């Protein structure tokens, strides 16, 4: 086995920022994002759930709405890409989302990546349509 200390060609470090806990302050998220930017991390990601962690348990996170949080993070960073991992698309108005995403991409100077999915939790869908 080789003991090379050279970085792997094409290796890109990506991190998911911890927005799931009500105990994580926005200043902590910003500090982590800025530090990731300084360290050369390729992309920082935020997950999406509309339900808060309480009373629905620890499965759901997203104390901070990811698009707004990433816009705030874009104002504090210069290079790191910003993305959603993943946005629960059926719970969003498609026209409003398109405008939000286009705006975020412009504000971040093209650094935004939109990751979308259809969701997986019946409990989340049931609670969101009440």
């Amino acid at each position: 086995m080789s003991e090379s200390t050279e970085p792997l060609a094409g290796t890109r470090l990506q991190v998911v920022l911890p927005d799931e806990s009500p105990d994580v302050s926005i200043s902590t998220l910003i500090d982590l994002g800025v530090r990731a930017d300084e360290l050369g991390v390729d992309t920082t990601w935020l997950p999406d759930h509309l339900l808060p962690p309480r009373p629905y348990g620890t499965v759901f996170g997203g104390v901070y709405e990811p698009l707004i949080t990433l816009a705030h993070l874009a104002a504090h960073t210069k290079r790191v890409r910003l993305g959603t991992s993943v946005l629960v698309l059926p719970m969003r108005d498609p026209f409003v989302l398109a405008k939000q995403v286009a705006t975020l991409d412009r504000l971040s100077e093209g650094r935004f990546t939109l990751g979308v999915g259809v969701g997986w939790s019946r409990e989340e869908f049931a609670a969101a349509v009440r």
Side-chain angles (χ1 to χ4, degrees):
M1 185 156 89
S2 171
E3 300 238 355
S4 174
T5 58
E6 294 295 315
L8 298 173
T11 300
R12 294 180 292 169
L13 182 61
Q14 302 184 34
V15 297
V16 176
L17 296 177
D19 76 335
E20 297 89 1
S21 171
D23 299 327
V24 175
S25 68
I26 191 62
S27 63
T28 298
L29 278 177
I30 296 305
D31 290 347
L32 289 170
V34 168
R35 189 70 177 133
D37 194 34
E38 295 168 349
L39 289 172
V41 168
D42 183 68
T43 309
T44 57
W45 300 94
L46 284 180
D48 176 47
H49 281 288
L50 292 180
L51 297 181
R54 294 182 199 116
Y56 298 96
T58 59
V59 171
F60 301 103
V63 172
Y64 300 107
E65 197 284 326
L67 297 175
I68 291 173
T69 306
L70 289 170
H72 187 64
L73 188 57
H76 292 275
T77 57
K78 294 179 178 32
R79 182 206 49 77
V80 69
R81 292 198 57 79
L82 310 161
T84 55
S85 72
V86 303
L87 206 68
V88 184
L89 195 55
M91 294 189 177
R92 306 279 180 154
D93 178 286
F95 298 105
V96 173
L97 179 62
K99 183 68 170 182
Q100 290 171 323
V101 167
T103 300
L104 178 50
D105 194 57
R106 287 288 300 265
L107 291 174
S108 68
E109 298 178 330
R111 295 182 291 141
F112 179 65
T113 299
L114 177 64
V116 298
V118 296
W120 54 267
S121 170
R122 287 185 177 155
E123 180 184 18
E124 184 172 30
F125 278 95
V129 296
R130 287 183 192 179

